[in-house]
Amino acid sequence: MSLDVASVRFGYRRTPVLEGVDLRVAEGGFCALLGPNGSGKSTLTKIIARVLTPAAGSVSFHGRDLLAAPRREHARVVAYVPQSGPAPFEQTVREAVLLGRTPHIGLRPTRRDRDIVAAAIDRLGLGALGDRPMSQLSGGQAQRVLIARALAQEPRVLLLDEPTSALDLRYQIETLQIVRSVTREEGVTALIAIHDLNHAAHFCDQAVLLDGGRVVADGPPAEAFDAAVLSRVYGLDVRVTRGEQGVEVRPSALEAA
């Protein structure tokens, strides 16, 4: 059982962004999408989330075509955490997280729905902010609300588009720990677009490196992180070291400083 992306192509008018992307993430796996700006990381997450429609290719989970499934069914399987932005309208944190229950709610939220929302809010350390309007939150707090909303959705596939970009170091680590625990304890498959190679190496089971809209490396971080490939993709000389604590990537310029 897995999340399978096959031969996905996408472009904006005449500008290709993804050119035949293939990847497979095992059920319960935590996969990092890596690559420089413009490599297609965010675009791929948006295609799986059905924010964008590919020109060709397929996305399936447990053999079911996610791109052809009814929207409500898709939303019961896939939750998407976009990059943080301003709240589109006035709502409290609790109301925003409750939106994650929309695919499951009948005429009105049940006690179980509200309990799930409360648990997601607490899990992200937002308990004291439940009644605060979204417009009064910092960028980092708003991003944690989006993650709580996705967890309240009880997905089988969790997509995160640079979720730590607005967070300070403490909340970056805590967020990645939460996602890892969700994959390991609940069997959720997670795909995260992220820039920090070392965070990906520490928290993720799988690393997929994109360059020019193509997959150029795929596997456990200790295998996928090759100094020559990373140096070419990022245009920067890097060193990769492997030890008992895992793999670490460092720009050579830092070692010479």
Side-chain angles (χ1 to χ4, degrees), residues 26-221:
E27 185 172 21
F30 190 6
C31 177
L33 281 179
L34 301 157
N37 291 332
S39 60
K41 302 185 300 298
S42 293
T43 298
L44 183 56
T45 63
K46 289 177 181 177
I47 286 173
I48 301 171
R50 289 176 63 169
V51 175
L52 298 174
T53 302
S58 65
V59 178
S60 61
F61 183 68
H62 283 208
R64 180 64 188 268
D65 186 349
L66 291 179
L67 302 185
R71 287 283 180 177
R72 188 177 181 89
E73 181 179 329
H74 178 274
R76 287 175 174 169
V77 176
V78 178
Y80 171 57
V81 180
Q83 296 182 34
S84 61
F89 49 86
E90 194 73 7
Q91 58 185 182
T92 67
V93 167
R94 188 171 290 104
E95 290 167 341
V97 177
L98 182 61
L99 289 176
R101 299 300 301 161
T102 301
H104 307 279
I105 290 174
L107 294 176
R108 59 177 59 86
T110 65
R111 175 64 179 269
R112 181 174 182 272
D113 292 318
R114 297 190 185 282
D115 287 345
I116 290 170
V117 166
I121 287 173
D122 288 342
R123 197 168 195 174
L124 270 295
L126 297 164
L129 303 177
D131 296 319
R132 183 173 297 184
M134 290 288 292
S135 60
Q136 295 180 13
L137 301 185
S138 68
Q141 290 169 331
Q143 185 67 12
R144 284 155 54 207
V145 172
L146 295 181
I147 296 169
R149 183 181 69 186
L151 295 182
Q153 199 169 325
E154 293 188 306
R156 302 313 305 157
V157 176
L158 178 60
L159 307 172
L160 304 106
D161 187 3
E162 298 185 27
T164 58
S165 60
L167 304 180
D168 62 31
L169 183 59
R170 171 193 167 187
Y171 285 119
Q172 287 180 32
I173 300 302
E174 289 187 358
T175 297
L176 292 168
Q177 287 174 330
I178 288 168
V179 176
R180 185 170 66 176
S181 71
V182 167
T183 62
R184 293 183 177 179
E185 297 169 12
E186 302 173 28
V188 173
T189 302
L191 190 64
I192 180 172
I194 189 171
H195 280 293
D196 194 306
L197 296 169
N198 290 312
H199 282 173
H202 183 78
F203 290 100
C204 298
D205 312 304
Q206 179 181 355
V208 173
L209 181 64
L210 294 172
D211 184 33
R214 299 180 184 275
V215 175
V216 296
D218 183 1

